[in-house]
Amino acid sequence: MAFQKAVKGTILVGGGALASVLGLSQFAHYRRKQVSLAYVEAAEYVTEPVNREPPSREAQLLTLQNMSEFDILVIGGGATGCGCALDAVTRGLKTALVERDDFSSGTSSRSTKLIHGGVRYLQKAIMKLDIEQYRMVKEALHERANLLEIAPHLSAPLPIMLPIYKWWQLPYYWVGIKLYDLVAGSNCLKSSYVLSKSRALEHFPMLQKDKLVGAIVYYDGQHNDARMNLAIALTAARYGAATANYMEVVSLLKKTDPHTGKERVSGARCKDVLTGQEFDVRAKCVINATGPFTDTVRKMDDKNATAICQPSAGVHIVMPGYYSPESMGLLDPATSDGRVIFFLPWQKMTIAGTTDTPTDVTHHPIPSEEDINFILNEVRNYLSCDVEVRRGDVLAAWSGIRPLVTDPKSADTQSISRNHVVDISESGLITIAGGKWTTYRSMAEDTINAAIKAHNFKAGPSRTVGLFLQGGKDWSPTLYIRLVQDYGLESEVAQHLAATYGDKAFEVAKMASVTGKRWPIVGVRLVSEFPYIEAEVKYGIKEYACTAVDMISRRTRLAFLNVQAAEEALPRIVELMGRELNWDDYKKEEELETARKFLYYEMGYKSRSEQLTDHSEISLRPSDIDRYKKRFHKFDADQKGFITIVDVQRVLESINVQMDENTLHEILNEVDLNKNGQVELNEFLQLMSAIQKGRVSGSRLAILMKTAEENLDRRVPIPVDRSCGGL
């Protein structure tokens, strides 16, 4: 049974300034928290966490700053790093974790959202008789089953269709998929099956039907990756690990081993990115779990270390939900250049990706227009010609850096390892690199096993198989009904809360504001078309959210689903966070600007906005130009050559439509390319041309003007001669 072990001796706290800011009672509370975090000793198995709730970030920082020495210090707050922290602390090791940005801010939040064994790896394993790839698939399928069990609220099985367009491929792929089921064994989610052409189209009606022979459906898992990563971090914190985001490792600490005379890594100099404060965190063992930044930390240890990371960029795009069935994915096993493309429903939207191209390591990867168009072209090949795949339907796009690695101990240093690599340097730095999201737990187990062996720690085997992550233990598929009945939440909002927070959804519901409506009673939405509510912003701060970017991208997933909706929600999010975190006006503006830059560059807003610029060509037929000019002049009644908010309001009032001025300003601003406060005829024609080409979709101004024109035309009096003289 897990229990707390009191820390012997005096803990020196350099917190005089903090005490004066927090007050003596709060400061004493943080000191008690610090002691309770200091060490967890697990007996034969783990039962209950040490902390009912994850300690605050301030309490975590005090523990990091004042603990004399940890057993394990993990650098990196992605899935693997947080997995290492959870594995170590549940074995009874004093554990700390630091992350220079936010948990899951890198690769772990930018995945394909699949929990999978890797069908294509199994194919290669069989074709090339590659035992390493076979073992990797076998391991991943075991981990897939475990992850679905320990976080049932964040994950679920997903059927994926493999359309077949040549008769000979049907038995070939059927055998491969059946082998996938066979390798999974008792961990098989559901048995794969074959569909006839008519049944395939019934399940996936937007599929290209010409030459379609049939389809094979197999099952993999799908999850909310950033929330899953956060759940691992929060679980580690509850079990006693001192975890802190926005803590950058400036340098590694070293000391001379008295027995060997060699320098050994003994901790890290850390900097609080938010305050600039620096202090040392000492540890017997330091683990480098930094993904694409693996070599950066390795070179801190040894500047002559050979680079082992070969970063590859994977771009994904998000399209409206109507592009795919709600509960069926699609796999394109052989794209035009040989890569694999997934086309998956996720969060009521559709994800398509991924690309796989060499890239440079950066903290801010940007999706390229070339990659976005490549994915769109592949999607067009598989969807019916009745479905127009438009560039303007890309609602968000992102690039994730996959850290492929070479084994530094391998004789063939050019060969990329598809599995993970655990490396121990001369000075004792342990590096875990490679692998994939699905196998994070297994990677963590191997890493902590290596740490225990290298440092002679007294610890038992890993205890993370079957260990529920935060929110998973008391979750059930019908939990959302209690949220609706007990709190008066909308059904859609309740389902979202249950699927995001699991059994912690009730805590979010308790924070929800009253709407003032008959229904829903509580739960004010951040944006109308998504189920995220204002209470999630307050709760997100309890989950270590420190910036507006944390909130729109990882606590909620708005930035990954629709960049325009995320931008629309930003002012309210910043207002709510500012109230909770005591931000002044300058800080609020800074947060708004940083978040908008994040959306513009990293979430595809730039690529989206570049589809309509003041340099866009107008390629319309003369008849279309005449038609659009007439529509424009219904608003520009004074023949000024431009329209303003006043012109739009006048027309809307004439057809009895009310719209507030701020919304109208936003609508016109989307088309006002030279930002002079008015929309010229040329700008309107550029918009209509871009819409015809599919580069822009969902333009509020275009739809508003078309609707207004139709209403005005219907109100024109019918001439007497056309009404038979009125008889």
Side-chain angles (χ1 to χ4, degrees):
M1 183 175 179
F3 62 94
Q4 295 181 26
K5 181 177 180 181
V7 179
K8 297 179 180 179
T10 304
I11 297 178
L12 299 175
V13 180
L18 185 62
S20 63
V21 173
L22 297 177
L24 291 177
S25 62
Q26 280 184 286
F27 185 67
H29 170 71
Y30 281 135
R31 287 198 62 180
R32 288 194 299 274
K33 275 284 189 184
Q34 162 199 335
V35 173
S36 71
L37 279 168
Y39 188 54
V40 176
E41 182 173 273
E44 293 183 358
Y45 58 91
V46 174
T47 54
E48 293 299 320
V50 173
N51 303 289
R52 184 177 176 276
E53 297 297 330
S56 68
R57 184 173 182 271
E58 290 80 3
Q60 301 281 36
L61 291 179
L62 279 171
T63 303
L64 285 172
Q65 188 173 357
N66 298 300
M67 176 58 61
S68 57
E69 186 180 47
F70 289 94
D71 292 324
I72 301 278
L73 169 62
V74 182
I75 305 173
T80 305
C82 291
C84 286
L86 180 57
D87 191 284
V89 76
T90 51
R91 296 197 204 198
L93 298 171
K94 291 180 285 186
T95 305
L97 178 145
V98 292
E99 158 61 44
R100 74 173 297 280
D101 205 308
D102 185 28
F103 301 114
S104 193
S105 58
T107 308
S108 295
S109 64
R110 302 168 190 244
S111 73
T112 314
K113 323 303 181 196
L114 283 178
I115 311 170
H116 64 115
V119 172
R120 57 178 177 155
Y121 294 137
L122 181 60
Q123 180 190 24
K124 290 177 183 178
I126 295 169
M127 297 293 288
K128 298 181 180 180
L129 299 177
D130 189 333
I131 191 67
E132 181 192 350
Q133 295 212 40
Y134 171 78
R135 285 173 179 159
M136 182 181 69
V137 174
K138 184 80 174 173
E139 174 189 60
L141 289 170
H142 172 265
E143 294 301 322
R144 178 188 71 178
N146 182 66
L147 198 48
L148 288 167
E149 180 185 345
I150 65 177
H153 57 303
L154 293 169
S155 59
L158 175 72
I160 300 176
M161 181 182 289
L162 184 64
I164 306 295
Y165 288 92
K166 295 178 181 177
W167 279 108
W168 68 266
Q169 290 180 335
L170 193 59
Y172 174 78
Y173 283 121
W174 182 82
V175 170
I177 294 298
K178 278 300 173 186
L179 281 172
Y180 192 58
D181 291 349
L182 187 63
V183 173
S186 61
N187 293 321
C188 181
L189 301 179
K190 288 185 181 180
S191 183
S192 57
Y193 55 90
V194 176
L195 289 174
S196 65
K197 176 179 179 178
S198 60
R199 290 284 289 164
L201 292 172
E202 186 180 319
H203 284 284
F204 211 117
M206 59 282 294
L207 196 61
Q208 171 65 262
K209 61 184 76 173
D210 294 341
K211 298 182 180 179
L212 180 68
V213 173
I216 299 171
V217 176
Y218 72 98
Y219 285 80
D220 259 327
Q222 188 178 51
H223 69 152
N224 187 337
D225 54 2
R227 293 293 318 183
M228 186 74 82
N229 193 157
L230 184 62
I232 302 167
L234 293 169
T235 307
R238 290 182 64 201
Y239 275 99
T243 60
N245 54 354
Y246 293 100
M247 288 297 296
E248 181 179 6
V249 171
V250 178
S251 61
L252 295 177
L253 305 177
K254 292 188 177 183
K255 67 180 180 181
T256 303
D257 187 323
H259 301 293
T260 63
K262 292 182 179 179
E263 278 197 328
R264 305 286 293 175
V265 173
S266 60
R269 180 73 175 175
C270 297
K271 176 183 177 181
D272 187 338
V273 175
L274 303 179
T275 64
Q277 180 189 14
E278 291 189 15
F279 54 85
D280 293 339
V281 178
R282 301 202 171 272
K284 295 170 186 173
C285 173
V286 176
I287 294 173
N288 170 20
T290 53
F293 300 94
T294 292
D295 290 324
T296 303
V297 177
R298 292 178 75 246
K299 289 180 184 296
M300 282 185 186
D301 174 39
D302 176 7
K303 64 181 180 182
N304 297 317
T306 305
I308 63 171
C309 184
Q310 299 187 22
S312 172
V315 171
H316 295 80
I317 64 174
V318 170
M319 306 174 78
Y322 56 72
Y323 272 96
S324 66
E326 191 173 335
S327 57
M328 179 73 76
L330 183 77
L331 168 64
D332 177 358
T335 62
S336 56
D337 67 352
R339 293 182 285 196
V340 171
I341 289 285
F342 284 100
F343 194 59
L344 309 168
W346 185 70
Q347 303 281 304
K348 298 188 177 179
M349 296 300 207
T350 301
I351 288 181
T354 177
T355 62
D356 187 12
T357 52
T359 187
D360 294 325
V361 176
T362 172
H363 289 290
H364 307 289
I366 299 171
S368 71
E369 186 64 23
E370 180 183 357
D371 283 331
I372 291 171
N373 284 321
F374 168 79
I375 296 171
L376 286 173
N377 286 331
E378 294 303 323
V379 169
R380 289 187 184 102
N381 291 337
Y382 272 84
L383 294 190
S384 167
C385 56
D386 296 336
V387 180
E388 183 185 357
V389 180
R390 304 177 297 182
R391 174 61 182 81
D393 284 337
V394 177
L395 304 174
W398 68 85
S399 176
I401 301 177
R402 185 182 178 197
L404 302 175
V405 294
T406 55
D407 189 341
K409 300 293 191 294
S410 172
D412 179 12
T413 55
Q414 298 303 311
S415 178
I416 293 176
S417 173
R418 295 293 173 182
N419 214 326
H420 59 269
V421 172
V422 178
D423 176 61
I424 305 178
S425 72
E426 289 291 325
S427 60
L429 175 69
I430 297 180
T431 294
I432 171 66
K436 57 183 180 178
W437 223 121
T438 307
T439 59
Y440 86 91
R441 193 213 62 81
S442 175
M443 293 166 66
E445 180 180 343
D446 289 350
T447 306
I448 303 305
N449 284 344
I452 290 170
K453 183 177 179 181
H455 293 271
N456 296 313
F457 291 134
K458 292 181 179 179
S462 175
R463 300 182 175 95
T464 51
V465 172
L467 181 69
F468 279 107
L469 299 182
Q470 166 117 334
K473 187 176 181 181
D474 295 321
W475 175 87
S476 73
T478 57
L479 182 144
Y480 79 94
I481 296 175
R482 289 169 54 200
L483 291 170
V484 175
Q485 294 175 337
D486 294 353
Y487 294 94
L489 288 160
E490 290 176 84
S491 182
E492 184 187 12
V493 171
Q495 288 175 348
H496 152 68
L497 293 182
T500 302
Y501 304 95
D503 57 31
K504 299 293 180 184
F506 296 98
E507 296 181 18
V508 184
K510 289 174 186 175
M511 295 181 172
S513 303
V514 176
T515 63
K517 303 176 183 176
R518 186 185 63 80
W519 190 264
I521 298 171
V522 301
V524 178
R525 295 196 184 205
L526 288 168
V527 282
S528 59
E529 66 265 44
F530 289 95
Y532 300 108
I533 60 174
E534 291 183 355
E536 292 182 76
V537 178
K538 299 175 186 176
Y539 192 78
I541 293 169
K542 292 179 64 176
E543 295 183 321
Y544 306 134
C546 299
T547 70
V549 171
D550 297 345
M551 202 64 69
I552 61 173
S553 59
R554 293 173 287 274
R555 303 309 180 280
T556 71
R557 306 311 306 274
L558 262 177
F560 283 80
L561 296 171
N562 189 315
V563 286
Q564 284 187 300
E567 186 185 44
E568 184 181 324
L570 262 178
R572 182 57 178 161
I573 287 172
V574 169
E575 181 185 343
L576 290 168
M577 290 190 76
R579 192 181 301 164
E580 297 293 318
L581 297 173
N582 297 316
W583 289 347
D584 58 21
D585 290 342
Y586 176 81
K587 175 63 175 174
K588 289 178 185 176
E589 282 300 318
E590 183 182 52
E591 285 293 323
L592 273 173
E593 184 63 25
T594 300
R596 283 171 177 153
K597 283 183 179 178
F598 169 78
L599 292 173
Y600 188 72
Y601 291 106
E602 295 183 52
M603 288 292 113
Y605 212 150
K606 181 175 186 290
S607 294
R608 182 178 173 85
S609 63
E610 284 178 347
Q611 301 309 306
L612 181 64
T613 69
D614 51 6
H615 300 298
S616 299
E617 292 183 7
I618 299 173
S619 53
L620 296 168
R621 292 176 299 181
S623 59
D624 287 334
I625 291 177
D626 289 341
R627 178 158 55 94
Y628 293 137
K629 279 184 176 179
K630 288 177 182 176
R631 183 176 300 172
F632 184 85
H633 289 313
K634 286 186 186 300
F635 285 77
D636 180 22
D638 301 329
Q639 302 293 305
K640 305 183 297 298
F642 61 84
I643 58 176
T644 63
I645 289 177
V646 174
D647 295 318
V648 178
Q649 281 177 325
R650 175 181 51 78
V651 174
L652 292 180
E653 286 172 3
S654 71
I655 58 174
N656 299 317
V657 174
Q658 300 294 322
M659 193 170 291
D660 67 87
E661 191 170 323
N662 287 335
T663 303
L664 281 175
H665 177 75
E666 289 175 9
I667 291 173
L668 262 67
N669 193 51
E670 292 173 6
V671 188
D672 181 13
L673 304 177
N674 57 15
K675 304 304 176 189
N676 63 354
Q678 56 199 32
V679 175
E680 284 90 7
L681 174 60
N682 196 59
E683 290 174 327
F684 179 66
L685 293 176
Q686 285 175 317
L687 169 66
M688 301 314 296
S689 178
I691 289 173
Q692 276 199 8
K693 289 181 178 179
R695 296 200 310 265
V696 171
S697 65
S699 168
R700 291 185 286 179
L701 181 64
I703 293 171
L704 182 69
M705 292 179 72
K706 180 181 179 181
T707 304
E709 181 186 45
E710 290 170 350
N711 277 291
L712 288 170
D713 289 344
R714 279 199 293 267
R715 294 175 61 137
V716 174
I718 300 174
V720 173
D721 60 331
R722 290 189 60 197
S723 64
C724 301
L727 299 176

